[in-house]
Amino acid sequence: MAAGVAAWLPFARAAAIGWMPVASAPMPLAPREKRRTQDGFIIINVSGTKFQTWRSTLERYPDTLLGSTEKDFFFNEEINEYFFDRDPDIFRHILNFYRTGKLHYPRHECISAYDEELSFFGIIPEIIGDCCYEEYKDRRRENAERIQDDADDENNKEGVMPDMTLRQSMWRAFENPHTSTLALVFYYVTGFFIAVSVIANVVETVPCRASPGMIKDLPCGERYALAFFCLDTACVMIFTVEYLLRLIAAPSRYRFVRSVMSIIDVVAIMPYYIGLVMTDNEDVSGAFVTLRVFRVFRIFKFSRHSQGLRILGYTLKSCASELGFLLFSLTMAIIIFATVMFYAEKGSTASKFTSIPAAFWYTIVTMTTLGYGDMVPKTIVGKIVGSVCSLSGVLVIALPVPVIVSNFSRIYHQNQRADKRRAQKKARLARIRVAKSGSANAYMQSKHNGLLTDSPEQASKEAGQAFLSKTNLSFEKEHHHLLHCLEKTTNHEFVDEETYEKNCMEVSSVNPPGSRCSSISSQHGLTSTCCSRRNKKTFRLPNSNMSGSHAGSLQELSTIQIRERPLISNSRSSLNAKMEDTVQRNSEHPYVTSAIISIRTPPVTSREGNNTSDSPDYSQRNIVKVSAL
Amino acid sequence: MGIQGMEILAVGVVLFMFMAVLKQFGVLEPMEDSSESDLELSTVRHQPEGLDQLQAQTKFTKKELQSLYRGFKNECPSGLVDEETFKMIYSQFFPQGDATTYAHFLFNAFDIDRTGSIRFEDFVIGLSVLLRGSVHEKLKWAFNLYDINKDGYITKEEMLAIMKSIYDMMGNYTYPSVREDTPFEHVEKFFQKMDRNQDGVVTIDEFMETCQKDENIMSSMQLFENVI
């Protein structure tokens, strides 16, 4: 029920007195209305901006935060106001909703911020008034697309899992040429050969100077038949290989075969094979010549290389209805005008308008304002009709075109935005990473300085003087304490990157190659590529550097996957006192994840000499030790 | 010769149809004087009488009048409620059925001087009777509601109309379901009770007398005292 109508409820109830005399049964009792105080003011303080309204205004919508008792949680007795630490600009709209019953969406506000405020105050966005609903929905859709784009991006890039099969990596290389250098090379090579093939087709038909002895010019194709044939063969070879590779690598072969691009591929190379198979039979050579036309389809293979072409394709697909309308109205107009023209010109002598279909040609040429002039009306009526025809032709064609253009523009800009976002993302992530590593290092630093030892006095004595100047915010202190508790809980400690990698280097030289470890160097979930993987990389092609950094940067944003590593005691002089603790952990390398449990039992006895006595005991303890998170 | 005439005729017909199509698309509109609509004034406004006068006329306190006016003005900024708006507002309270007919009768009951729109004064005076008036006044108001043509008599037809409109508000999904003759039967019962001299109409005195003797009706009149 609308808000304002709620104000009329007392009236409706009062008017119910009209039913009383005719009532068939006694009336129910009226609800016990607590005689609340006269409708008073209520002051809402939103980040300092004071809003005042009647109490009854807010009570119109009892299922929202402000209309229910939930707002009591925000009541501040000292100032006798309801205090919300939220954005006052957006709150203005929310309060207006209570007042007028209509929720408006301000155009200059960010859609996510607005949504958050709405959900905080318990208002469903569906009640946005009609005046603003379209705008809201559009912005929402754009936002969702953006999020979807980002998600897709991550999905694409997260595929750099080491356990991808050859087939999957091949498919990724085909679909996304930027993933590896080989894919890029392949991409350019195929592009080059498509261009060569198309140019050869074109040049084939150009008349070359006749060889001596011949009278008329031959097309180049016939003169240098062998050369062109070789070129064609080479191109088709490449295309066939490419097609077969794609077919092998496709995750769903059936779907791949049905897709448009694969059909284009097949159509592009079929004529060659058919030509090989067929002999120089006179009857079929005519058909064979026609088949050569299909070679021009090779130019469509460029659409894999050009995003603009793909956008054009999407646009045409999405404007199917407009195009259909254009076609239909044109057909209607053509038939009408052709008929009229034919009958108008029937009387004149030697008229070119021999039949209505013949007049179609004239009508089309006129409506599209081409005006070849091969068919011209001679009678006056014919000329009148012809002029009307050309005028209306302009209109009919001009009408659906802007719709198609705007569709194209929207899709194109969307794509541009996606590309721009992707480009900006790398820079943004790098900056974020720097900021995060700063805070991560803070924890390491404070540990280093022994500020978290159990004997604070000792620690402060040791490190106090030098670091008295450092302001220890209470937030940091509590946070570090929390991390310390975590360490104690899991019986593992946090280490920083370099130490871990150093450790890993040593480990991997002992471990069989192909071991996998993915390291997290800090509690924030910062990931760096695993050292062993880096080793792997140095042994093999240096092509996964990009992928590694991508994984690193992206996993940063994902949830924490905590895996524990052993502590390297020799890097910390100040923690020597905790040798007993570290002894247990040094010899084992349980790699525990929340999802994947991979048990590593590397022989590390050779590494830490002073722990040999303990290692046999603990090598059996490589049972999965799920961290007590 | 005849053929040429036919051709010209055909061409003429085609041209005519072309014009008709264009007219259909609104390109060639029959020239209308559309400038009048621009001069149409925006809605009529009405300001109520002063607060003191209203306080004298009704039994509401100043604060109550203020609160009532705020609600009224919020819904109808122009200060007047026309029948359509009234029907719409009243229908919102009865979503299952069709409240428009009853709203029509109610509108007429409030619109005392038959201006076609309810001003705030009418609204508040009506409410004053309903909420703060004596039982006698309330009964008189109800009689006025039932007496559609305001001639002082309630006929069976008038009562049937009122009854049907009330049952319309119930809608289709009721238990037990409303049959065709349910309103009629109800009217019969009413007349049996009210019509003392069995002359087929109910006068105000008969109505008053019967109602004052009925316990249920008297108690239900007090039901809505605390609405404001």
Side-chain angles (χ1 to χ4, degrees):
Chain A
M1 222 159 49
V5 182
W8 287 70
L9 184 60
F11 160 76
R13 293 179 70 202
I17 286 186
W19 304 336
M20 300 303 145
V22 294
S24 347
M27 290 290 140
L29 288 173
R32 240 324 3 182
E33 274 178 29
K34 53 178 174 74
R35 190 75 228 166
R36 50 177 178 259
T37 54
Q38 280 288 347
D39 195 21
F41 282 128
I42 182 172
I43 300 179
I44 304 177
N45 189 337
V46 182
S47 304
T49 312
K50 290 205 192 158
F51 295 88
Q52 244 182 348
T53 182
W54 297 109
R55 212 169 268 276
S56 57
T57 311
L58 293 182
E59 279 158 10
R60 285 180 191 160
Y61 295 99
D63 52 351
T64 57
L65 186 152
L66 289 172
S68 62
T69 53
E70 197 181 340
K71 63 178 184 284
D72 293 337
F73 285 102
F74 297 94
F75 186 71
N76 189 321
E77 268 112 18
E78 293 156 31
I79 52 177
N80 212 26
E81 291 168 356
Y82 290 88
F83 181 75
F84 294 95
D85 203 8
R86 313 285 298 186
D87 188 357
D89 291 329
I90 299 184
F91 185 76
R92 188 170 66 85
H93 298 281
I94 290 174
L95 198 53
N96 272 339
F97 164 62
Y98 287 91
R99 293 187 183 124
T100 63
K102 286 203 262 268
L103 182 62
H104 294 280
Y105 168 62
R107 275 158 209 244
H108 58 268
E109 291 291 351
C110 169
I111 185 83
S112 337
Y114 191 73
D115 268 342
E116 271 174 31
E117 294 295 311
L118 281 187
S119 67
F120 179 83
F121 285 103
I123 298 174
I124 46 171
E126 270 65 36
I127 44 181
I128 290 184
D130 286 339
C131 40
C132 300
Y133 195 61
E134 251 188 69
E135 169 83 13
Y136 175 77
K137 272 291 173 199
D138 283 342
R139 294 278 287 264
R140 200 107 179 264
R141 191 173 34 88
E142 274 175 31
N143 206 34
E145 279 167 3
R146 181 185 60 80
I147 293 175
Q148 182 63 27
D149 271 348
D150 287 349
D152 285 345
D153 235 15
E154 281 196 24
N155 282 341
N156 281 341
K157 294 205 178 137
E158 262 175 30
V160 186
M161 290 193 305
D163 51 354
M164 236 177 20
T165 64
L166 179 65
R167 178 176 166 177
Q168 280 175 332
S169 57
M170 247 173 47
W171 181 249
R172 266 192 80 247
F174 280 135
E175 291 297 299
N176 205 351
H178 298 287
T179 49
S180 62
T181 319
L182 188 61
L184 212 56
V185 163
F186 184 74
Y187 175 77
Y188 282 126
V189 162
T190 45
F192 172 71
F193 273 98
I194 295 173
V196 160
S197 161
V198 168
I199 291 175
N201 280 348
V202 165
V203 167
E204 231 174 33
T205 60
V206 171
C208 285
R209 211 154 8 127
S211 54
M214 306 286 286
I215 306 170
K216 64 176 169 80
D217 285 341
L218 275 180
C220 282
E222 283 177 33
R223 183 133 175 242
Y224 301 104
L226 191 60
F228 278 107
F229 181 73
C230 290
L231 198 58
D232 206 23
T233 311
C235 293
V236 170
M237 216 51 35
I238 303 263
F239 296 152
T240 318
V241 164
E242 182 208 350
Y243 181 70
L244 288 175
L245 281 180
R246 274 185 207 265
L247 189 62
I248 293 172
S252 157
R253 301 232 169 92
Y254 176 62
R255 219 161 44 120
F256 172 73
V257 167
R258 278 194 333 179
S259 75
V260 174
M261 287 311 301
S262 90
I263 292 178
I264 290 178
D265 287 338
V266 169
V267 169
I269 58 181
M270 258 315 124
Y272 177 80
Y273 288 111
I274 295 179
L276 278 186
V277 164
M278 278 200 310
T279 59
D280 269 322
N281 199 344
E282 270 301 316
D283 298 331
V284 288
S285 73
F288 174 59
V289 166
T290 322
L291 271 180
R292 294 183 113 197
V293 166
F294 284 103
R295 289 189 307 173
V296 81
F297 271 73
R298 287 178 197 167
I299 205 169
F300 284 117
K301 288 165 69 77
F302 266 130
S303 66
R304 278 210 186 94
H305 298 252
S306 155
Q307 210 182 24
L309 266 183
R310 275 203 297 271
I311 293 177
L312 193 59
Y314 290 150
T315 311
L316 291 178
K317 215 169 32 168
S318 71
C319 298
S321 69
E322 277 84 24
L323 285 175
F325 167 69
L326 175 61
L327 218 56
F328 175 68
S329 58
L330 266 180
T331 312
M332 229 174 51
I334 287 172
I335 293 178
I336 291 176
F337 281 111
T339 313
V340 175
M341 207 56 204
F342 172 69
Y343 284 111
E345 285 287 305
K346 202 160 171 210
S348 71
T349 54
S351 151
K352 287 237 175 71
F353 297 85
T354 52
S355 65
I356 294 185
F360 281 168
W361 173 244
Y362 168 77
T363 318
I364 293 174
V365 166
T366 312
M367 281 186 92
T368 53
T369 69
L370 277 176
Y372 286 135
D374 53 350
M375 285 166 87
V376 181
K378 295 205 182 64
T379 59
I380 295 181
V381 178
K383 289 188 178 161
I384 292 175
V385 172
S387 38
V388 173
C389 173
S390 63
L391 287 175
S392 61
V394 170
L395 281 174
V396 167
I397 291 182
L399 285 175
V401 168
V403 177
I404 298 174
V405 165
S406 77
N407 247 354
F408 179 81
S409 160
R410 182 176 65 83
I411 298 177
Y412 181 72
H413 280 124
Q414 214 174 300
N415 248 294
Q416 293 284 73
R417 273 205 302 269
D419 285 343
K420 238 197 302 190
R421 262 206 311 274
R422 250 170 272 161
Q424 286 169 351
K425 199 172 194 173
K426 288 196 204 139
R428 266 176 57 216
L429 288 177
R431 281 199 296 270
I432 291 174
R433 204 172 341 145
V434 167
K436 275 199 177 173
S437 65
S439 57
N441 285 338
Y443 181 58
M444 298 301 154
Q445 275 285 347
S446 52
K447 269 186 34 168
H448 234 299
N449 306 328
L451 291 171
L452 291 175
T453 52
D454 291 328
S455 50
E457 303 87 16
Q458 182 190 11
S460 54
K461 251 187 280 175
E462 284 175 29
Q465 279 77 13
F467 294 97
L468 268 179
S469 56
K470 187 170 176 180
T471 50
N472 247 333
L473 312 163
S474 68
F475 176 79
E476 266 195 37
K477 270 200 285 204
E478 286 160 10
H479 189 212
H480 293 311
H481 176 252
L482 179 68
L483 296 168
H484 196 62
C485 290
L486 180 61
E487 285 184 335
K488 287 290 178 210
T489 315
T490 59
N491 231 2
H492 289 79
E493 283 197 14
F494 293 111
V495 292
D496 50 8
E497 268 191 62
E498 301 95 34
T499 358
Y500 179 61
E501 261 147 42
K502 224 188 320 175
N503 187 34
C504 235
M505 284 281 197
E506 298 166 8
V507 165
S508 63
S509 61
V510 180
N511 287 348
S515 68
R516 295 159 199 179
C517 68
S518 178
S519 68
I520 295 195
S521 62
S522 86
Q523 64 280 12
H524 296 278
L526 253 186
T527 65
S528 57
T529 52
C530 175
C531 46
S532 64
R533 206 196 290 169
R534 209 167 265 178
N535 284 342
K536 215 164 51 161
K537 277 190 265 180
T538 56
F539 299 147
R540 299 180 195 170
L541 275 176
N543 59 355
S544 18
N545 281 333
M546 283 192 298
S547 50
S549 57
H550 283 193
S553 57
L554 281 163
Q555 277 176 351
E556 194 176 298
L557 300 178
S558 62
T559 53
I560 295 177
Q561 306 160 349
I562 298 191
R563 311 185 198 201
E564 304 295 352
R565 302 146 307 289
L567 171 70
I568 313 306
S569 55
N570 49 11
S571 67
R572 294 172 192 289
S573 50
S574 60
L575 290 174
N576 276 339
K578 298 177 24 174
M579 234 2 226
E580 305 83 52
D581 293 9
T582 63
V583 148
Q584 292 167 344
R585 286 169 267 148
N586 269 347
S587 24
E588 57 189 22
H589 301 261
Y591 299 92
V592 175
T593 74
S594 46
I596 311 168
I597 315 256
S598 52
I599 303 174
R600 308 290 322 147
T601 63
V604 288
T605 54
S606 52
R607 198 168 52 79
E608 297 284 317
N610 51 350
N611 293 329
T612 43
S613 54
D614 296 322
S615 46
D617 294 5
Y618 296 107
S619 53
Q620 275 87 356
R621 271 223 298 151
N622 285 331
I623 309 170
V624 170
K625 207 165 151 192
V626 180
S627 56
L629 288 171
Chain B
M1 186 60 200
I3 303 253
Q4 272 194 344
M6 291 279 279
E7 282 176 0
I8 294 188
L9 188 65
V11 169
V13 166
V14 167
L15 279 176
F16 170 72
M17 286 179 62
F18 194 67
M19 299 287 180
V21 165
L22 281 183
K23 208 193 302 192
Q24 186 67 26
F25 283 137
V27 174
L28 295 177
E29 263 175 21
M31 289 299 136
E32 266 174 5
D33 195 6
S34 53
S35 57
E36 286 169 356
S37 48
D38 294 335
L39 293 178
E40 207 177 282
L41 288 174
S42 51
T43 50
V44 182
R45 233 175 65 96
H46 172 79
Q47 279 174 330
E49 297 170 16
L51 200 50
D52 298 321
Q53 285 157 301
L54 275 179
Q55 205 181 0
Q57 283 175 349
T58 66
K59 299 204 182 76
F60 288 120
T61 65
K62 250 200 182 126
K63 276 212 176 340
E64 287 170 343
L65 282 173
Q66 280 178 340
S67 154
L68 278 172
Y69 188 67
R70 278 204 301 272
F72 184 84
K73 181 93 176 160
N74 222 2
E75 236 353 77
C76 315
S78 62
L80 294 170
V81 190
D82 63 341
E83 191 164 340
E84 282 309 310
T85 323
F86 186 82
K87 280 184 180 167
M88 205 184 61
I89 293 172
Y90 199 73
S91 306
Q92 302 230 3
F93 293 107
F94 304 98
Q96 307 96 327
D98 175 25
T100 46
T101 333
Y102 186 73
H104 168 77
F105 296 130
L106 208 53
F107 185 82
N108 286 336
F110 269 91
D111 187 14
I112 308 164
D113 34 3
R114 297 303 192 128
T115 52
S117 55
I118 299 181
R119 305 165 304 160
F120 181 62
E121 293 91 334
D122 304 329
F123 178 71
V124 124
I125 288 172
L127 270 186
S128 166
V129 166
L130 286 173
L131 297 175
R132 303 271 192 267
S134 66
V135 176
H136 188 88
E137 288 171 346
K138 289 181 190 172
L139 287 172
K140 201 150 140 258
W141 188 89
F143 185 87
N144 192 34
L145 173 67
Y146 302 144
D147 185 13
I148 298 178
N149 54 4
K150 315 287 183 234
D151 60 355
Y153 300 102
I154 305 179
T155 63
K156 272 202 180 152
E157 291 80 18
E158 290 173 340
M159 204 58 225
L160 190 58
I162 300 267
M163 203 59 77
K164 268 212 235 148
S165 68
I166 293 180
Y167 276 97
D168 279 343
M169 277 197 288
M170 293 291 293
N172 292 330
Y173 304 108
T174 55
Y175 176 78
S177 43
V178 174
R179 297 188 322 270
E180 278 293 317
D181 48 355
T182 316
F184 188 72
E185 282 175 14
H186 202 145
V187 171
E188 287 297 317
K189 260 199 328 204
F190 176 79
F191 263 76
Q192 259 182 344
K193 213 168 49 161
M194 299 279 170
D195 195 4
R196 291 293 151 128
N197 54 2
Q198 301 291 326
D199 56 356
V201 291
V202 177
T203 63
I204 179 124
D205 301 312
E206 290 176 338
F207 185 74
M208 289 287 184
E209 219 187 296
T210 321
C211 286
Q212 275 164 343
K213 292 217 183 82
D214 190 329
E215 284 275 326
N216 280 335
I217 296 179
M218 293 309 280
S219 61
S220 58
M221 284 289 159
Q222 317 294 340
L223 208 55
F224 295 110
E225 296 279 274
N226 300 326
V227 162
I228 295 284

